[in-house]
Amino acid sequence: MINNIFSLNENEDNNKTINHQKNYFSFKKYLNRPLNVCYIGAGYVGGTSSSVMAYKCPEDEVIVTVCDVDSEKINSWNSDNLPIYEPGLEEIVKKKRGKNLFFTKDIDNSIYLADIIFISVGTPTKKKGIGAGQAAELSFIEMAARKIAKFSKNSKIIIEKSTVPCKTADHIRTILNANKNNNDLKSDCEPIFTDIDDKNKSIHFEILSNPEFLAEGTAVNDILYPDRILIGGNETKEGEIAQDVLCKLYSYWVPKEKIIKIGLWSAELSKLSANALLAQRISSINSLSALCEETGADIQEIALACGLDSRIGSKFLNASVGFGGSCFKKDVLNLVYLSNYFNLPDVADYWKQVIIMNDYRKTRFVKTIYNKLFNTITGKIIAIYGFSFKKNTKDTRESPAITVILSLLKEGAIIKIFDPKVPEDQIKNDITENCDFQEYNEYISNIIVCHSCYEASYGANAIVICTEWDEFKTLDYKRIYSHMTKPAFIFDGRLILNHKELKQIGFSVEAIGKRL
């Protein structure tokens, strides 16, 4: 069927269905059943992108199954308490779960039945061995590939959804071809690649790269209305056919002009490049924020002036305590490793500076807190507003708040933390994982997780804004000020507050990139 389903340009009018007054290709009409899509990995990318796909595809045309070895995670996806928070996601999952969206621990059968498999497992930075601290850990990718080879009884399209280094598709292909079950070619249902299976008596795996460009906090909207969908494939007949199938799948909700076919290696490198460029912009504006603090210029005015230049644009020019999350640091470091691997040390040094500047911004912010609190914070109570790395998510990976809190704890501060979405156990686990056992035993009595901003600030010497949650903008700061130790300080690490009003209340205010 590989030669048929992708040669539909000749008679595509006979293979379309009407849906919301638009023409869509009908997988059911062609396969005599729905298309089976499998996501291996029920983490942030896999769980979110699969849910939106099921939401936008007709229930009788596309069945989406998400599988994972983590039983707790799968149970959470099947409950009322999803493992991740993302605006709009819960409603989508509840609407489609059990209809054309399924979460399961049965990886073997999910692979067996699948026509298309998205590999969406984690690729964290290696912690030891060759490339430690920079290279991507690809063991989960390899385990997924070996599972696919073992339990596939017909040809399939395999799609890299995880962020991976350039040329990873070659490794996946080698593993699949070395372990495929050519002696047991069969399936309970009509396979998507019938012609290759029948004529060659061999399972064929075609590898595509389809990187996800979602941003945490706006992920659902990013998938519903993407800037672009990249589909990278080989310039072979099979590669072009596979790209066409994935185009048809996305065409259920994405305009055709936004679905872009490119080379396989370009698609793999595009995700790393996009995140590196975004991180670079943040580090660039943060470097200028330090200069503003010394000269008396205002970083928000600088960002406005530069952002009005159409060649630059205004996005990602918000100075802050630093970027966090699972992607930016990991992907920049991966780019550094790749550059060194290909003997490009100057390129590696250039991108490494992005991380150095991000660390510098966090360190400078902590030093400002220390200096303004009269060069001693031992025994002083500091309220931390926000623990997630950005608003509208409970993801705390690489959160600047962790660095700030640990630095203040080392100076003997008492830390009271409030975040509207991050639970207490997650906060304490993150602190534990980022310091040694002895340090944690010293710190634990000085860490208090609170249920509101008002509780956190009661009796505090200072408030530190680490996350830009909208609710922090509308608090009753007169009430907060009245219950704080004087002089009462606010350190705005996200530039979200009205500094003039706070000073009128009586606060001593410090903000990133400004002299107040």
Side-chain angles (χ1 to χ4, degrees):
M1 189 169 294
I2 189 169
N3 294 329
N4 292 333
I5 197 169
F6 300 104
S7 61
L8 288 171
N9 293 332
E10 301 172 2
N11 57 354
E12 197 165 274
D13 289 341
N14 296 325
N15 292 280
K16 288 180 178 178
T17 57
I18 303 300
N19 186 359
H20 301 300
Q21 300 180 341
K22 291 185 178 181
N23 290 329
Y24 296 115
F25 173 77
S26 174
F27 287 106
K28 184 177 181 181
K29 184 174 182 179
Y30 193 73
L31 296 171
N32 296 317
R33 60 174 175 81
L35 180 75
N36 288 315
V37 177
C38 170
Y39 279 77
I40 299 179
Y44 198 94
V45 171
T48 307
S49 56
S50 62
S51 298
V52 175
M53 179 177 286
Y55 176 68
K56 295 303 294 184
C57 292
E59 293 176 6
D60 61 342
E61 289 281 345
V62 178
I63 302 296
V64 181
T65 302
V66 189
C67 55
D68 201 294
V69 296
D70 189 334
S71 298
E72 185 177 345
K73 188 178 293 182
I74 291 298
N75 290 339
S76 185
W77 279 111
N78 284 319
S79 73
D80 291 331
N81 184 25
L82 302 187
I84 63 174
Y85 171 75
E86 192 67 39
L89 180 61
E90 184 177 355
E91 293 80 1
I92 286 175
V93 171
K94 288 182 177 180
K95 185 172 184 178
K96 288 297 182 177
R97 191 171 56 196
K99 296 177 181 177
N100 68 331
L101 175 63
F102 301 90
F103 298 93
T104 179
K105 293 167 281 188
D106 190 353
I107 298 177
D108 303 355
N109 194 54
S110 299
I111 291 172
Y112 176 77
L113 294 175
D115 301 302
I116 296 175
I117 298 176
F118 288 88
I119 299 178
S120 54
V121 298
T123 54
T125 303
K126 287 185 69 175
K127 293 183 177 180
K128 58 183 179 180
I130 297 174
Q134 293 182 348
E137 174 58 73
L138 299 178
S139 59
F140 300 121
I141 295 283
E142 180 172 338
M143 284 189 283
R146 292 187 181 278
K147 276 278 190 182
I148 292 168
K150 182 177 181 180
F151 294 102
S152 294
K153 307 302 180 184
N154 60 359
S155 298
K156 303 180 188 298
I157 298 172
I158 311 302
I159 301 168
E160 297 172 330
K161 202 66 172 170
S162 305
T163 303
V164 294
C166 198
K167 299 289 186 178
T168 300
D170 266 352
H171 305 322
I172 295 174
R173 183 181 292 106
T174 299
I175 293 168
L176 290 173
N177 289 338
N179 294 277
K180 60 187 178 182
N181 296 299
N182 286 330
N183 296 327
D184 195 18
L185 186 63
K186 62 182 180 180
S187 179
D188 293 341
C189 54
E190 184 73 9
I192 199 169
F193 287 152
T194 300
D195 286 351
I196 282 187
D197 290 346
D198 291 345
K199 292 180 180 179
N200 300 329
K201 299 301 180 183
S202 174
I203 293 175
H204 177 77
F205 295 109
E206 190 60 37
I207 316 299
L208 300 179
S209 175
N210 174 222
E212 192 62 76
F213 294 98
L214 59 83
E216 295 192 40
T218 59
V220 170
N221 194 67
D222 293 339
I223 302 172
L224 287 173
Y225 309 102
D227 292 330
R228 77 288 201 197
I229 296 292
L230 296 186
I231 301 176
N234 283 324
E235 293 182 3
T236 61
K237 182 178 181 180
E238 293 81 7
E240 291 172 359
I241 288 170
Q243 284 179 308
D244 285 340
V245 168
L246 192 54
C247 284
K248 288 176 170 62
L249 179 58
Y250 276 114
S251 68
Y252 280 113
W253 79 94
V254 180
K256 184 178 293 186
E257 62 272 15
K258 291 193 174 184
I259 304 175
I260 303 170
K261 300 176 188 177
I262 62 176
L264 188 54
W265 315 133
S266 297
E268 286 184 334
L269 192 54
S270 290
K271 179 60 183 296
L272 292 179
S273 301
N275 279 345
L277 288 168
L278 293 173
Q280 178 197 48
R281 280 178 71 96
I282 297 173
S283 282
S284 294
I285 198 68
N286 277 341
S287 71
L288 294 173
S289 72
L291 191 59
C292 287
E293 291 167 5
E294 296 299 326
T295 62
D298 186 321
I299 193 59
Q300 289 181 305
E301 293 177 347
I302 298 297
L304 174 64
C306 294
L308 290 173
D309 188 325
S310 60
R311 298 169 300 174
I312 299 173
S314 61
K315 293 185 177 180
F316 281 79
L317 289 182
N318 297 316
S320 70
V321 66
F323 60 75
S326 64
C327 293
F328 282 1
K329 182 178 180 179
K330 173 176 74 73
D331 292 352
V332 172
L333 289 173
N334 199 342
L335 202 58
V336 171
Y337 177 77
L338 284 174
S339 299
N340 280 321
Y341 179 84
F342 289 107
N343 197 28
L344 300 169
D346 294 334
V347 176
D349 289 344
Y350 175 83
W351 287 110
K352 190 174 182 180
Q353 191 62 39
V354 172
I355 303 300
I356 292 172
M357 182 53 60
N358 193 54
D359 292 339
Y360 166 80
R361 182 63 271 186
K362 289 182 282 189
T363 300
R364 183 179 174 89
F365 185 59
V366 171
K367 286 182 178 178
T368 298
I369 297 171
Y370 179 82
N371 291 338
K372 293 299 178 180
L373 291 179
F374 315 112
N375 297 316
T376 177
I377 54 178
T378 301
K380 290 180 179 177
I381 299 173
I382 299 180
I384 303 293
Y385 284 7
F387 194 83
S388 59
F389 84 92
K390 64 184 290 189
K391 71 176 183 178
N392 293 333
T393 181
K394 60 181 181 180
D395 192 343
T396 59
R397 289 173 290 183
E398 299 293 340
S399 175
I402 298 173
T403 301
V404 172
I405 289 168
L406 287 175
S407 298
L408 296 175
L409 285 169
K410 286 179 181 178
E411 293 294 332
I414 298 170
I415 303 297
K416 298 173 70 176
I417 306 165
F418 170 73
D419 188 284
K421 290 297 179 181
V422 183
E424 180 174 353
D425 59 346
Q426 185 176 342
I427 290 173
K428 291 186 175 180
N429 285 340
D430 284 332
I431 294 173
T432 303
E433 290 175 2
N434 285 277
C435 61
D436 61 39
F437 183 75
Q438 183 177 350
E439 284 180 326
Y440 184 74
N441 285 335
E442 294 175 3
Y443 297 158
I444 188 62
S445 61
N446 285 347
I447 301 170
I448 304 168
V449 179
C450 301
H451 298 93
S452 72
C453 289
Y454 300 105
E455 179 188 350
S457 60
Y458 193 91
N461 298 85
I463 296 169
V464 178
I465 308 292
C466 285
T467 312
E468 71 280 19
W469 287 101
D470 289 337
E471 66 184 75
F472 298 162
K473 302 176 186 178
T474 58
L475 296 170
D476 184 349
Y477 280 99
K478 288 184 179 179
R479 172 187 167 189
I480 289 172
Y481 178 78
S482 68
H483 292 113
M484 289 180 66
T485 300
K486 309 303 185 295
F489 290 84
I490 285 186
F491 298 90
D492 188 355
R494 293 290 181 173
L495 298 179
I496 61 172
L497 303 180
N498 187 319
H499 305 136
K500 184 177 179 180
E501 288 186 1
L502 291 172
K503 292 185 74 173
Q504 290 174 346
I505 291 171
F507 283 102
S508 294
V509 183
E510 298 295 329
I512 296 283
K514 299 185 179 211
R515 278 187 186 175
L516 298 173

